Amino acid sequence: MADTVASQEVAFGKEALKLFLFDPKWRNLNHGSFGTIPKAIQAKQREYQDLAEARPDQYIRQDYPVLLDESRAAVAKLVNAPTDDVVLVSNATVGVNTVYKNMAWNDDGKDTILSFSTIYGGCGKIEDWVIDQQQGKVSLREMDLVYPLEDEEIIQLFRDTVKQVEAEGKRARICLFDVVSSSPGVVFPWVAMTKACRELGVLSLVDGAQGVGMVDLDIQAADPDFFISNCHKWLHVPRGCAIFYVAKRNQPMITSPIQTSHAYIPRHRERFNALPHKGTDQSHFVKSFAFVGTLDDAPYACVKDAIAWRREVLGGEEKILAYMTKLNKEGCGHVAKAVGGYVLENKAGTLTNCPMGNVMLPLWVGERGEGAGADDTVVPEEDGALVFQWITEKLVAEYNTFMALSVRWNHFMVRLSAQVYLDMDDYEWAAKTLKELLGRVAKGEYKQ
């Protein structure tokens, strides 16, 4: 990165903001959905794209495979995983698809998929697809989570569910769970869940879409069966790019990426197999994901550069994570107090040990729930969707921002994302904005 940026650390907040590409009028309070990249990494991305256009064959066949391996090695070191067990895919949903679509399901109809009610919507649809395609061979068991919950309660729910599935004569085959859930944006006890899966003989499929670059990860210590994490959310890598880790013991299960291509080995015949990339002595698992067709792979090449940029310019992962987590806790606390709501947190304080937090707003659908204040606003049930749409549209059109709004348990909540380019001033502004919008809802302005 020395040719792109000076190796000099910057202060977080307003100084760091200058390194990014935002419209000066825009406040980016929702980093957790799509991430963003600094100017320096955009320059590297364009550099790789220019190289691909200048000498297409040389770059795609000879140069890019080296860059890809360097990125895989860099991110594997970051999450403490063997490089040979890590490949790159375009996003976390692709990784989850890859696992489910390579699964060989038993013919006895006993296989059961386990997941939680807070599953990311796209991943839930993958499970639905499996159920539809297998036509009775596989069943789905969803575990309902109503936060705030202690970590131990979640693990016990899983253990009880596995016991129940087995009592019904079925087989708990695989469980999908998060590192940090998207909605609500809370830390999930993924390490303890992985251990429980191992003890109970259930495959662990970890959706770390919110993961690398936002929380500390140690894959070898946790030892999941499958682990996916988006690099383009919190690691400042261009969209889309994700780590796909498969424990060596499970790599024979993954016979093909979603895009079956040159590296696939057919069972029924031999076929001429000429990989466009130069030959390597890598495993079949690694080769399978190295080339899945002609794509813009510049984001993959940028992984190593983003990690270096974070180290040289931002001061490294420990400093970054500490700043964002502290800002999340303090910022969400300020917003909650200002608007008359509260932060979604458990007694142990583990739900907010990351850069995302949820403020439960004094706004309800249908009726007030537990913990509601006497002055909280209640909108008719039939108006819930309208209020949701009205607030999200006003945030963009009038306030030049976006905050991830959701409704759970008949209660409006907002998810906020801390980042190195934000500071408490941004949370104070967010509090003022939300308070103003809530007042407008209470007056019925959304009906106009």
Side-chain angles (χ1 to χ4, degrees), residues 284-356:
H284 177 252
F285 170 69
V286 172
K287 287 181 180 179
S288 293
F289 289 84
F291 185 86
V292 294
T294 305
L295 302 169
D296 179 6
D297 294 319
Y300 296 6
C302 285
V303 172
K304 58 181 176 49
D305 302 305
I307 293 172
W309 182 83
R310 288 162 65 86
R311 180 179 63 251
E312 297 167 8
V313 178
L314 300 184
E317 299 302 313
E318 184 176 351
K319 181 181 177 182
I320 295 168
L321 302 191
Y323 176 82
M324 295 192 302
T325 301
K326 183 174 184 288
L327 180 59
N328 172 51
K329 289 178 178 287
E330 294 180 356
C332 286
H334 174 82
V335 172
K337 183 178 180 180
V339 303
Y342 61 90
V343 177
L344 184 62
E345 182 59 286
N346 58 19
K347 294 178 182 177
T350 60
L351 299 183
T352 58
N353 285 338
C354 71
M356 286 201 308

Coordinates of all heavy atoms in Angstrom, one line a residue, residues 284-356:
H284 N -7.9 -29.5 -4.5 CA -9.0 -29.4 -5.4 C -10.0 -28.4 -4.9 O -10.6 -27.6 -5.6 CB -9.7 -30.8 -5.5 CG -10.9 -30.7 -6.4 ND1 -12.2 -30.8 -5.9 CD2 -11.1 -30.5 -7.7 CE1 -13.1 -30.7 -6.9 NE2 -12.4 -30.5 -8.0
F285 N -10.2 -28.3 -3.6 CA -11.1 -27.3 -3.0 C -10.7 -25.9 -3.4 O -11.5 -25.1 -3.8 CB -11.1 -27.5 -1.4 CG -11.8 -26.4 -0.7 CD1 -13.2 -26.2 -0.8 CD2 -11.1 -25.5 0.1 CE1 -13.8 -25.2 -0.1 CE2 -11.7 -24.5 0.8 CZ -13.1 -24.3 0.7
V286 N -9.4 -25.6 -3.2 CA -9.0 -24.2 -3.5 C -9.1 -24.0 -5.0 O -9.5 -22.9 -5.5 CB -7.5 -24.0 -3.1 CG1 -6.9 -22.7 -3.6 CG2 -7.5 -24.1 -1.5
K287 N -8.7 -24.9 -5.9 CA -8.7 -24.8 -7.3 C -10.2 -24.5 -7.8 O -10.4 -23.8 -8.7 CB -8.2 -26.0 -8.0 CG -6.7 -26.1 -7.9 CD -6.2 -27.4 -8.7 CE -4.7 -27.5 -8.6 NZ -4.2 -28.7 -9.4
S288 N -11.1 -25.2 -7.1 CA -12.5 -25.1 -7.6 C -13.0 -23.7 -7.5 O -13.9 -23.3 -8.3 CB -13.4 -26.0 -6.7 OG -13.1 -27.4 -6.9
F289 N -12.6 -22.9 -6.6 CA -13.1 -21.5 -6.4 C -12.2 -20.5 -7.0 O -12.5 -19.3 -7.0 CB -13.2 -21.2 -4.9 CG -14.4 -22.0 -4.3 CD1 -14.2 -23.3 -3.8 CD2 -15.6 -21.4 -4.2 CE1 -15.3 -24.0 -3.3 CE2 -16.7 -22.1 -3.6 CZ -16.5 -23.4 -3.1
A290 N -11.0 -20.9 -7.5 CA -10.1 -19.9 -8.1 C -10.6 -19.3 -9.4 O -10.3 -18.1 -9.7 CB -8.7 -20.6 -8.3
F291 N -11.3 -20.1 -10.2 CA -11.8 -19.6 -11.5 C -13.1 -20.2 -11.7 O -13.2 -21.4 -12.0 CB -10.8 -19.9 -12.6 CG -11.3 -19.3 -13.9 CD1 -10.9 -18.0 -14.2 CD2 -12.1 -20.0 -14.8 CE1 -11.4 -17.4 -15.4 CE2 -12.5 -19.4 -16.0 CZ -12.1 -18.1 -16.3
V292 N -14.2 -19.4 -11.6 CA -15.5 -19.9 -11.9 C -16.2 -19.2 -13.1 O -17.4 -19.2 -13.2 CB -16.4 -19.7 -10.6 CG1 -15.9 -20.6 -9.5 CG2 -16.5 -18.3 -10.2
G293 N -15.3 -18.7 -14.0 CA -15.8 -18.0 -15.1 C -15.2 -16.6 -15.1 O -14.6 -16.2 -14.1
T294 N -15.3 -15.9 -16.2 CA -14.8 -14.5 -16.3 C -15.6 -13.5 -15.6 O -16.8 -13.3 -15.9 CB -14.7 -14.1 -17.8 OG1 -13.9 -15.1 -18.5 CG2 -14.0 -12.8 -17.9
L295 N -15.0 -13.0 -14.5 CA -15.7 -12.0 -13.7 C -14.8 -10.9 -13.4 O -13.6 -11.0 -13.6 CB -16.1 -12.7 -12.3 CG -17.1 -13.9 -12.4 CD1 -17.1 -14.5 -11.0 CD2 -18.4 -13.5 -12.9
D296 N -15.3 -9.8 -12.8 CA -14.4 -8.7 -12.3 C -14.0 -9.2 -10.9 O -14.7 -9.0 -9.9 CB -15.2 -7.4 -12.2 CG -14.3 -6.3 -11.7 OD1 -13.1 -6.5 -11.4 OD2 -14.8 -5.2 -11.5
D297 N -12.8 -9.7 -10.8 CA -12.3 -10.2 -9.5 C -11.5 -9.2 -8.8 O -10.8 -9.6 -7.8 CB -11.5 -11.5 -9.8 CG -12.3 -12.6 -10.3 OD1 -13.4 -12.8 -9.8 OD2 -11.9 -13.4 -11.2
A298 N -11.5 -8.0 -9.2 CA -10.7 -6.9 -8.5 C -11.0 -6.9 -7.0 O -10.0 -6.7 -6.2 CB -10.9 -5.6 -9.2
P299 N -12.2 -7.0 -6.6 CA -12.4 -7.0 -5.1 C -11.6 -8.0 -4.4 O -11.1 -7.8 -3.3 CB -14.0 -7.2 -5.0 CG -14.5 -6.6 -6.2 CD -13.5 -7.0 -7.3
Y300 N -11.5 -9.2 -4.9 CA -10.7 -10.3 -4.3 C -9.3 -9.9 -4.2 O -8.6 -10.1 -3.1 CB -10.8 -11.6 -5.1 CG -12.2 -12.2 -5.2 CD1 -13.3 -11.6 -4.7 CD2 -12.4 -13.5 -5.8 CE1 -14.6 -12.2 -4.8 CE2 -13.6 -14.1 -5.9 CZ -14.7 -13.4 -5.4 OH -15.9 -14.0 -5.5
A301 N -8.7 -9.3 -5.2 CA -7.3 -8.8 -5.2 C -7.1 -7.7 -4.1 O -6.0 -7.6 -3.6 CB -6.9 -8.3 -6.5
C302 N -8.2 -7.0 -3.8 CA -8.1 -5.9 -2.9 C -8.1 -6.3 -1.4 O -7.8 -5.4 -0.6 CB -9.2 -4.9 -3.1 SG -9.1 -3.9 -4.6
V303 N -8.4 -7.5 -1.1 CA -8.5 -7.9 0.3 C -7.2 -7.6 1.0 O -7.2 -7.0 2.1 CB -8.9 -9.4 0.4 CG1 -8.8 -9.9 1.9 CG2 -10.3 -9.6 -0.1
K304 N -6.1 -8.1 0.5 CA -4.8 -7.9 1.1 C -4.5 -6.4 1.3 O -3.9 -6.0 2.3 CB -3.7 -8.5 0.3 CG -3.6 -8.1 -1.1 CD -2.5 -8.8 -1.9 CE -2.4 -8.3 -3.3 NZ -2.5 -6.9 -3.5
D305 N -4.9 -5.6 0.3 CA -4.6 -4.1 0.4 C -5.5 -3.5 1.5 O -5.0 -2.6 2.2 CB -4.9 -3.5 -1.0 CG -4.1 -4.1 -2.1 OD1 -2.9 -4.1 -2.0 OD2 -4.7 -4.6 -3.1
A306 N -6.7 -3.9 1.6 CA -7.6 -3.3 2.6 C -7.1 -3.6 4.0 O -7.1 -2.8 4.9 CB -9.0 -3.9 2.4
I307 N -6.6 -4.9 4.2 CA -6.0 -5.3 5.5 C -4.8 -4.4 5.8 O -4.6 -3.9 6.9 CB -5.7 -6.8 5.5 CG1 -7.0 -7.6 5.4 CG2 -4.9 -7.1 6.8 CD1 -6.8 -9.1 5.3
A308 N -3.9 -4.2 4.8 CA -2.7 -3.4 5.0 C -3.1 -1.9 5.3 O -2.5 -1.3 6.1 CB -1.9 -3.5 3.7
W309 N -4.1 -1.4 4.6 CA -4.5 0.0 4.8 C -5.1 0.2 6.2 O -4.8 1.2 6.9 CB -5.6 0.3 3.8 CG -6.1 1.7 3.8 CD1 -5.5 2.8 3.3 CD2 -7.3 2.2 4.5 NE1 -6.3 3.9 3.6 CE2 -7.4 3.6 4.4 CE3 -8.3 1.6 5.3 CZ2 -8.4 4.4 4.9 CZ3 -9.3 2.3 5.8 CH2 -9.3 3.7 5.6
R310 N -5.8 -0.8 6.7 CA -6.4 -0.7 8.0 C -5.2 -0.7 9.1 O -5.3 -0.1 10.1 CB -7.3 -1.9 8.3 CG -8.7 -1.7 7.5 CD -9.4 -3.0 7.4 NE -9.8 -3.5 8.7 CZ -11.0 -3.2 9.4 NH1 -11.8 -2.3 8.8 NH2 -11.3 -3.7 10.5
R311 N -4.2 -1.5 8.8 CA -3.0 -1.6 9.7 C -2.2 -0.3 9.6 O -1.8 0.3 10.6 CB -2.2 -2.8 9.3 CG -1.0 -2.9 10.2 CD -0.2 -4.2 9.8 NE 0.4 -4.1 8.4 CZ -0.1 -4.8 7.4 NH1 -1.0 -5.7 7.6 NH2 0.5 -4.7 6.2
E312 N -1.9 0.2 8.4 CA -1.0 1.3 8.3 C -1.6 2.7 8.5 O -1.0 3.6 9.0 CB -0.4 1.3 6.8 CG 0.4 0.0 6.6 CD 0.8 -0.1 5.1 OE1 0.5 0.8 4.3 OE2 1.3 -1.2 4.7
V313 N -2.9 2.8 8.1 CA -3.6 4.1 8.2 C -4.5 4.2 9.5 O -4.5 5.3 10.1 CB -4.4 4.4 6.9 CG1 -5.1 5.7 7.0 CG2 -3.5 4.4 5.7
L314 N -5.1 3.1 9.8 CA -6.1 3.2 10.9 C -5.5 2.6 12.2 O -6.1 2.8 13.3 CB -7.3 2.4 10.6 CG -8.1 2.9 9.4 CD1 -9.4 2.1 9.2 CD2 -8.5 4.4 9.5
G315 N -4.3 2.0 12.1 CA -3.7 1.6 13.3 C -3.9 0.1 13.7 O -3.4 -0.3 14.8
G316 N -4.5 -0.6 12.8 CA -4.7 -2.1 13.1 C -6.0 -2.5 13.7 O -6.8 -1.6 14.2
E317 N -6.3 -3.8 13.6 CA -7.6 -4.3 14.0 C -8.0 -4.0 15.4 O -9.1 -3.7 15.7 CB -7.6 -5.8 13.7 CG -7.4 -6.2 12.2 CD -8.4 -5.5 11.3 OE1 -9.6 -5.6 11.6 OE2 -8.0 -4.9 10.3
E318 N -7.1 -4.2 16.3 CA -7.4 -4.0 17.8 C -7.9 -2.6 18.0 O -8.9 -2.4 18.7 CB -6.2 -4.4 18.6 CG -6.5 -4.3 20.1 CD -5.3 -4.8 21.0 OE1 -4.3 -5.3 20.4 OE2 -5.4 -4.6 22.2
K319 N -7.2 -1.7 17.5 CA -7.5 -0.3 17.7 C -8.9 0.1 17.0 O -9.7 0.8 17.6 CB -6.4 0.6 17.1 CG -6.7 2.1 17.3 CD -5.6 2.9 16.6 CE -5.9 4.4 16.7 NZ -4.8 5.2 16.1
I320 N -9.1 -0.5 15.8 CA -10.3 -0.2 15.1 C -11.5 -0.8 15.8 O -12.5 -0.1 16.1 CB -10.2 -0.8 13.7 CG1 -9.2 -0.1 12.8 CG2 -11.6 -0.7 13.0 CD1 -8.8 -0.9 11.5
L321 N -11.4 -2.0 16.2 CA -12.5 -2.7 16.9 C -12.9 -2.0 18.2 O -14.0 -1.9 18.6 CB -12.3 -4.2 17.1 CG -12.0 -5.0 15.8 CD1 -12.0 -6.5 16.2 CD2 -13.0 -4.7 14.7
A322 N -11.8 -1.7 19.0 CA -12.0 -1.0 20.3 C -12.8 0.3 20.1 O -13.7 0.6 20.9 CB -10.7 -0.8 21.0
Y323 N -12.4 1.1 19.1 CA -13.0 2.4 18.9 C -14.5 2.2 18.5 O -15.4 2.9 19.1 CB -12.3 3.2 17.8 CG -13.0 4.5 17.5 CD1 -12.8 5.6 18.2 CD2 -13.8 4.6 16.4 CE1 -13.4 6.8 17.9 CE2 -14.5 5.8 16.1 CZ -14.3 6.9 16.8 OH -14.9 8.1 16.5
M324 N -14.8 1.3 17.5 CA -16.1 1.1 17.1 C -17.0 0.6 18.1 O -18.2 1.0 18.3 CB -16.1 0.2 15.8 CG -15.4 0.8 14.6 SD -15.7 -0.1 13.1 CE -15.1 -1.7 13.5
T325 N -16.6 -0.4 18.9 CA -17.4 -1.0 19.9 C -17.8 0.1 21.0 O -18.9 0.1 21.5 CB -16.7 -2.2 20.6 OG1 -16.4 -3.2 19.6 CG2 -17.6 -2.8 21.6
K326 N -16.8 0.8 21.4 CA -17.0 1.9 22.4 C -18.0 2.9 21.9 O -18.9 3.3 22.6 CB -15.7 2.5 22.8 CG -15.8 3.6 23.9 CD -14.4 4.0 24.3 CE -14.4 5.0 25.5 NZ -14.9 6.4 25.1
L327 N -17.8 3.3 20.7 CA -18.7 4.3 20.1 C -20.1 3.8 20.0 O -21.1 4.5 20.2 CB -18.2 4.7 18.7 CG -19.0 5.8 17.9 CD1 -19.1 7.1 18.7 CD2 -18.4 6.0 16.6
N328 N -20.2 2.5 19.6 CA -21.6 1.9 19.5 C -22.3 1.9 20.9 O -23.4 2.3 20.9 CB -21.4 0.4 19.0 CG -22.7 -0.3 19.1 OD1 -23.7 0.1 18.6 ND2 -22.7 -1.5 19.7
K329 N -21.6 1.5 21.9 CA -22.2 1.5 23.2 C -22.6 2.9 23.7 O -23.8 3.1 24.1 CB -21.3 0.8 24.2 CG -21.2 -0.7 24.0 CD -20.2 -1.3 25.0 CE -20.1 -2.8 24.9 NZ -21.3 -3.5 25.4
E330 N -21.7 3.8 23.6 CA -22.0 5.2 24.1 C -23.0 5.9 23.2 O -23.9 6.6 23.6 CB -20.7 6.0 24.1 CG -19.7 5.4 25.2 CD -18.4 6.2 25.3 OE1 -18.2 7.2 24.5 OE2 -17.6 5.9 26.2
G331 N -22.8 5.7 21.9 CA -23.7 6.4 20.9 C -25.1 5.9 21.0 O -26.1 6.7 21.1
C332 N -25.3 4.6 21.1 CA -26.7 4.1 21.2 C -27.3 4.5 22.5 O -28.5 4.8 22.6 CB -26.7 2.5 21.0 SG -26.4 2.0 19.3
G333 N -26.5 4.5 23.6 CA -27.0 4.9 24.8 C -27.5 6.4 24.8 O -28.6 6.7 25.4
H334 N -26.8 7.2 24.1 CA -27.2 8.6 24.0 C -28.5 8.7 23.2 O -29.4 9.5 23.6 CB -26.1 9.4 23.3 CG -26.5 10.8 23.0 ND1 -26.5 11.8 23.9 CD2 -27.0 11.4 21.9 CE1 -26.9 13.0 23.4 NE2 -27.3 12.7 22.1
V335 N -28.6 8.0 22.1 CA -29.8 8.1 21.2 C -31.0 7.6 22.0 O -32.1 8.3 22.0 CB -29.6 7.3 19.9 CG1 -30.9 7.2 19.1 CG2 -28.5 7.9 19.1
A336 N -30.9 6.5 22.7 CA -32.0 6.0 23.4 C -32.5 6.9 24.5 O -33.7 7.2 24.6 CB -31.6 4.7 24.1
K337 N -31.6 7.5 25.2 CA -32.0 8.5 26.2 C -32.7 9.7 25.6 O -33.7 10.2 26.1 CB -30.8 8.9 27.1 CG -31.1 9.9 28.2 CD -29.9 10.2 29.0 CE -30.2 11.1 30.2 NZ -29.0 11.5 31.0
A338 N -32.1 10.2 24.5 CA -32.7 11.4 23.9 C -34.1 11.2 23.3 O -34.9 12.1 23.3 CB -31.7 11.9 22.8
V339 N -34.4 10.0 22.8 CA -35.7 9.8 22.1 C -36.7 9.2 23.1 O -37.8 9.0 22.7 CB -35.5 9.0 20.9 CG1 -34.6 9.6 19.9 CG2 -35.1 7.5 21.2
G340 N -36.2 8.8 24.3 CA -37.2 8.2 25.2 C -37.3 6.7 25.0 O -38.4 6.1 25.3
G341 N -36.3 6.0 24.4 CA -36.4 4.6 24.2 C -35.3 3.9 25.1 O -34.9 4.4 26.1
Y342 N -34.9 2.8 24.6 CA -33.8 2.0 25.4 C -33.0 1.2 24.4 O -33.5 0.8 23.3 CB -34.4 1.2 26.5 CG -35.4 0.1 26.1 CD1 -35.0 -1.2 25.8 CD2 -36.8 0.4 26.0 CE1 -35.8 -2.2 25.4 CE2 -37.7 -0.6 25.6 CZ -37.2 -1.9 25.3 OH -38.1 -2.9 24.9
V343 N -31.8 0.9 24.8 CA -30.9 0.0 24.0 C -31.3 -1.5 24.3 O -31.5 -1.9 25.4 CB -29.5 0.3 24.4 CG1 -28.5 -0.7 23.6 CG2 -29.1 1.7 24.2
L344 N -31.4 -2.2 23.2 CA -31.6 -3.7 23.3 C -30.3 -4.3 23.8 O -29.4 -4.5 23.1 CB -32.0 -4.2 21.9 CG -32.4 -5.7 21.9 CD1 -33.6 -6.0 22.8 CD2 -32.6 -6.2 20.5
E345 N -30.4 -4.8 25.1 CA -29.2 -5.3 25.7 C -29.6 -6.4 26.7 O -30.7 -6.3 27.3 CB -28.4 -4.2 26.3 CG -27.1 -4.6 27.0 CD -26.1 -5.3 26.0 OE1 -26.4 -6.5 25.7 OE2 -25.1 -4.7 25.7
N346 N -28.8 -7.3 27.0 CA -29.0 -8.3 28.0 C -28.3 -7.9 29.3 O -27.6 -7.0 29.4 CB -28.7 -9.7 27.6 CG -27.2 -9.9 27.2 OD1 -26.4 -9.1 27.5 ND2 -26.9 -10.9 26.4
K347 N -28.5 -8.7 30.4 CA -27.9 -8.4 31.7 C -26.4 -8.5 31.6 O -25.7 -7.7 32.3 CB -28.5 -9.4 32.7 CG -29.9 -9.2 33.0 CD -30.4 -10.2 34.0 CE -31.9 -10.1 34.2 NZ -32.5 -11.1 35.2
A348 N -25.9 -9.4 30.8 CA -24.4 -9.6 30.7 C -23.8 -8.5 29.9 O -22.5 -8.4 29.9 CB -24.1 -11.0 30.2
G349 N -24.5 -7.8 29.1 CA -24.0 -6.7 28.2 C -23.3 -7.2 27.0 O -22.4 -6.5 26.5
T350 N -23.6 -8.5 26.6 CA -22.9 -9.0 25.4 C -23.5 -8.7 24.1 O -22.8 -8.8 23.1 CB -22.9 -10.6 25.5 OG1 -24.2 -11.1 25.5 CG2 -22.2 -11.0 26.8
L351 N -24.7 -8.3 24.0 CA -25.4 -8.1 22.7 C -24.8 -6.9 22.0 O -24.8 -6.9 20.7 CB -26.9 -7.8 22.9 CG -27.7 -8.9 23.6 CD1 -29.2 -8.5 23.7 CD2 -27.5 -10.2 22.9
T352 N -24.2 -5.9 22.7 CA -23.6 -4.7 22.0 C -22.1 -4.8 21.9 O -21.5 -3.7 21.7 CB -24.1 -3.5 22.7 OG1 -23.7 -3.5 24.1 CG2 -25.6 -3.3 22.6
N353 N -21.5 -5.9 22.1 CA -20.1 -6.0 22.0 C -19.6 -6.1 20.6 O -18.9 -7.0 20.1 CB -19.5 -7.2 22.8 CG -19.6 -7.0 24.3 OD1 -19.6 -5.9 24.8 ND2 -19.6 -8.1 25.1
C354 N -20.0 -5.1 19.8 CA -19.7 -5.0 18.4 C -20.0 -3.6 17.9 O -20.4 -2.8 18.8 CB -20.5 -6.0 17.6 SG -22.2 -5.6 17.5
P355 N -19.8 -3.3 16.7 CA -20.1 -1.9 16.2 C -21.5 -1.6 15.9 O -21.8 -0.6 15.3 CB -19.2 -1.7 15.0 CG -18.2 -2.9 15.1 CD -19.0 -4.0 15.7
M356 N -22.5 -2.5 16.1 CA -23.9 -2.3 15.8 C -24.7 -2.4 17.1 O -24.4 -3.2 18.0 CB -24.4 -3.3 14.8 CG -23.9 -3.1 13.4 SD -25.0 -3.9 12.1 CE -25.0 -5.6 12.7

